[in-house]
C-alpha cells in the first residue's frame, strides 16, 4: 500500500495555500503541524527539509518545498487548474508566480521584523518600507478585479485565487491590510468565506 503524501505545516504560514487547495478538492494526505519557526522549535524537521521551511511535501520519496509548486501538484486534474487550452492560461501562470515572488515576499520581511526577530533586532523602517513595497505591487490585484469580476481568471475560483488570496490574507495578519483596495478586500472576503478555507485553518 502506497503511503499518503505528508504536508508539513505551520499555522497561517505559506503552507496554508497547500492545505487550502487540498481542502478545496478533497485531496487525501497526512498533516504534521510544526511550531513556528520550525528551524528554532522543531530542529528534527531538518531531516525532512534541510532549510527547515514550510511547506514541506513528501510523496513517493520526493520532497517539495515551494508552496506554489505543491499547490500545482494538488490542483492537477481538478477545476482549480487552468489548462493550456484555456484563454486565461498565461494570466493564470503569471498570477501563480507573482503570488510568491512579488506579493508574499515583502510581507515575509514585515513578519520577520515584527514577530520573528528578537525585540532588539526589529526594524521599524524595514517594516514601513516593505509595507509600501507591498502596497505598490498589490495594485495589480485591484486592477485585475476593478472591472467587477468575481475571481482573478477563467471566470471561476482557481488556484490563482488561492495563491494570491493567501498573500492578501497574510497582509491582514501583518498590518498591511490598509494597502488593499476596495475590490481586493471584497474578493478576499469571498475567498476567506469559502468552507475549504475555514476547514484548512481549523485543521492547521
Amino acid at each position: 500500500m502506497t503511503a499518503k503524501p505528508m504536508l508539513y505545516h505551520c499555522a497561517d504560514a505559506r503552507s496554508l495555500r497547500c492545505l487550502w487547495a487540498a481542502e478545496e478538492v478533497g485531496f487525501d494526505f497526512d498533516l504534521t503541524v510544526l511550531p513556528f519557526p520550525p528551524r528554532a522549535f522543531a530542529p528534527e524537521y531538518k531531516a525532512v527539509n534541510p532549510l527547515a521551511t514550510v511547506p514541506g511535501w513528501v510523496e513517493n520519496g520526493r520532497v517539495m518545498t515551494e508552496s506554489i509548486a505543491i499547490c500545482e501538484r494538488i490542483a492537477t486534474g481538478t477545476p482549480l487548474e487552468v489548462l493550456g487550452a484555456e484563454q486565461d492560461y498565461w494570466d493564470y501562470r503569471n498570477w501563480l508566480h507573482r503570488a510568491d515572488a512579488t506579493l508574499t515576499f515583502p510581507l515575509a520581511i514585515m513578519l520577520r521584523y515584527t514577530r520573528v526577530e528578537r525585540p532588539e533586532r526589529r526594524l521599524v523602517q524595514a517594516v514601513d518600507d516593505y509595507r509600501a513595497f507591498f502596497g505598490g505591487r498589490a495594485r495589480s490585484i485591484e486592477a485585475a478585479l476593478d472591472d467587477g469580476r468575481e475571481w482573478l481568471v477563467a471566470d471561476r475560483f482557481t488556484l490563482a485565487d488561492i495563491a494570491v488570496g493567501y498573500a492578501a490574507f497574510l497582509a491582514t495578519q501583518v498590518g498591511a491590510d490598509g494597502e488593499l483596495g476596495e475590490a481586493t478586500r471584497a474578493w478576499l472576503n469571498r475567498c476567506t468565506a469559502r468552507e475549504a478555507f475555514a476547514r484548512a485553518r481549523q485543521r492547521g
Side-chain angles (χ1 to χ4, degrees):
M1 181 176 179
T2 303
K4 290 189 289 187
M6 174 67 75
L7 173 66
Y8 292 87
H9 168 65
C10 293
D12 290 344
R14 296 181 205 212
S15 47
L16 179 60
R17 284 179 174 134
C18 312
L19 190 50
W20 182 5
E23 289 292 337
E24 287 281 354
V25 299
F27 195 105
D28 189 22
F29 66 100
D30 288 326
L31 180 68
T32 297
V33 179
L34 301 170
F36 184 84
R39 67 177 180 274
F41 299 112
E44 69 281 3
Y45 175 55
K46 290 183 180 180
V48 176
N49 174 11
L51 296 175
T53 56
V54 291
W57 179 269
V58 180
E59 183 177 9
N60 296 330
R62 177 184 293 111
V63 179
M64 300 174 68
T65 60
E66 294 297 326
S67 65
I68 301 299
I70 297 166
C71 284
E72 288 189 277
R73 186 269 172 270
I74 292 167
T76 298
T78 78
L80 292 180
E81 180 184 28
V82 176
L83 299 176
E86 294 186 66
Q87 182 176 352
D88 285 353
Y89 174 73
W90 286 112
D91 291 331
Y92 164 75
R93 294 304 305 276
N94 195 58
W95 280 117
L96 295 187
H97 287 276
R98 181 180 293 168
D100 227 18
T102 301
L103 294 168
T104 307
F105 164 70
L107 300 172
I109 300 296
M110 291 182 64
L111 180 64
R112 174 174 180 173
Y113 288 110
T114 56
R115 301 184 192 177
V116 177
E117 291 286 356
R118 299 186 305 274
E120 64 272 17
R121 284 184 48 82
R122 295 178 183 178
L123 300 175
V124 174
Q125 182 177 343
V127 172
D128 291 343
D129 287 350
Y130 278 93
R131 181 185 294 110
F133 182 102
F134 170 77
R137 282 137 187 86
R139 293 192 192 105
S140 63
I141 312 173
E142 188 72 5
L145 296 165
D146 201 32
D147 62 358
R149 71 176 64 192
E150 186 176 13
W151 306 112
L152 287 173
V153 295
D155 294 322
R156 67 179 189 273
F157 181 84
T158 71
L159 188 56
D161 297 292
I162 291 175
V164 180
Y166 170 74
F169 167 74
L170 183 59
T172 70
Q173 304 299 295
V174 299
D177 44 317
E179 305 298 330
L180 302 177
E182 182 178 353
T184 304
R185 290 194 297 270
W187 161 80
L188 178 60
N189 286 339
R190 290 193 293 275
C191 288
T192 57
R194 296 179 69 87
E195 291 183 2
F197 179 81
R199 289 196 304 269
R201 290 199 76 202
Q202 182 177 24
R203 185 175 178 186

